[in-house]
Amino acid sequence: MRADQRRANTGPTRVTCQNEEEHFGSIPRKPCRTCTDFKTWMKVQGGQKGSTKDQKTATAPEKKTAMAPPDGRVAAPPAGCPLDKDELGRSTWSLLHTTAAHYPETPTVGQQDEMRQFVGLLARLYPCSYCAEDFRKDLAEHPPQLESGSRLARWLCERHNTVNRKLGKPEFDCDLVHQRWRDGWQDGSCG
Ligand SMILES: Cc1cc2nc3c(=O)[nH]c(=O)nc-3n(C[C@H](O)[C@H](O)[C@H](O)COP(=O)(O)OP(=O)(O)OC[C@H]3O[C@@H](n4cnc5c(N)ncnc54)[C@H](O)[C@@H]3O)c2cc1C
């Protein structure tokens, strides 16, 4: 069974990180915000009101509202709140693609080692555990191509497309990866 199918089987009121203990030792299991999109998270919280909050509470420094699309669905957590799975994903891809876009065209052996470690550690520590598990499997089949900046950027684009396909999203044209993440679009719209 695929990792994301296992997540679906955890049921509507308990969305947990499958491997939380493996990653983080003895931290007790709790609903996993970074494994869940915000809409699902809000549903789960509705069912568990009061049961998962930390004992210490803090007042938000300013009142913030969740991002709501025109049809009224709540799509993303309010600004300044912990990330859900999708915000975490967008932020992480931004870091990864931007880092790859600025990786040298002729890296030293040391730089290649550092990048290998960076990707490997991310795949171990990424706090959506079933995402990390699938990412590790993908890395085992497709190890990082570290010989040059352009190869690394394309390799990463392909890894991102593997996730896009899994989620039923359109694939990104990897010929455009430097326009998206380094140079800006050719039409000048990025300034
Ligand atoms: C390592 C990793 C594994 C993940 N695994 C899962 C998972 O198993 N299940 C799950 O539900 N979510 C997973 N996610 C999160 C998921 O990939 C998305 O980040 C999340 O669904 C939000 O998607 P989005 O449509 O906002 O854009 P994202 O997919 O986050 O993309 C952000 C931006 O990157 C650009 N982009 C899109 N595709 C590419 C590409 N191939 N190359 C370069 N740029 C591109 C686009 O401009 C896009 O707007 C994972 C994230 C990461 C970092």
Side-chain angles (χ1 to χ4, degrees):
M1 192 188 297
R2 279 203 337 252
D4 52 335
Q5 288 169 322
R6 281 205 303 279
R7 172 181 53 124
N9 289 344
T10 56
T13 58
R14 187 157 176 81
V15 182
T16 55
C17 292
Q18 293 281 335
N19 297 325
E20 235 167 35
E21 290 89 346
E22 274 174 40
H23 284 308
F24 302 115
S26 61
I27 296 171
R29 284 179 88 83
K30 58 182 185 203
C32 174
R33 191 165 181 143
T34 50
C35 304
T36 314
D37 65 81
F38 187 65
K39 207 172 141 210
T40 311
W41 174 260
M42 290 306 278
K43 262 195 225 152
V44 172
Q45 292 304 293
Q48 297 186 338
K49 220 168 181 164
S51 65
T52 61
K53 294 266 180 256
D54 289 341
Q55 289 195 324
K56 255 196 230 164
T57 55
T59 310
E62 54 192 271
K63 197 167 162 69
K64 297 166 176 134
T65 48
M67 197 205 303
D71 64 3
R73 282 179 300 118
V74 179
C81 293
L83 304 190
D84 73 344
K85 169 184 70 67
D86 292 335
E87 283 192 308
L88 174 69
R90 275 189 290 277
S91 307
T92 305
W93 287 124
S94 298
L95 172 67
L96 284 171
H97 288 299
T98 306
T99 304
H102 294 277
Y103 182 76
E105 204 44 37
T106 49
T108 62
V109 172
Q111 287 167 325
Q112 294 183 46
D113 275 347
E114 285 167 358
M115 182 57 76
R116 187 179 297 104
Q117 285 180 43
F118 176 55
V119 173
L121 286 172
L122 180 89
R124 287 213 46 76
L125 297 172
Y126 192 67
C128 165
S129 55
Y130 66 87
C131 306
E133 188 183 328
D134 284 358
F135 191 48
R136 286 195 297 275
K137 285 185 195 149
D138 191 39
L139 290 184
E141 280 175 38
H142 305 281
Q145 295 187 4
L146 303 159
E147 306 78 13
S148 71
S150 30
R151 289 193 73 161
L152 182 69
R154 180 168 287 273
W155 169 85
L156 185 62
C157 179
E158 287 162 0
R159 306 287 58 79
H160 193 163
N161 273 339
T162 300
V163 180
N164 288 343
R165 276 195 300 277
K166 178 172 93 170
L167 300 180
K169 295 185 187 184
E171 289 191 34
F172 186 89
D173 178 353
C174 292
D175 288 339
L176 303 180
V177 77
H178 278 329
Q179 284 190 57
R180 170 67 178 89
W181 293 106
R182 190 187 65 188
D183 305 330
W185 299 108
Q186 270 174 6
D187 65 7
S189 55
C190 298

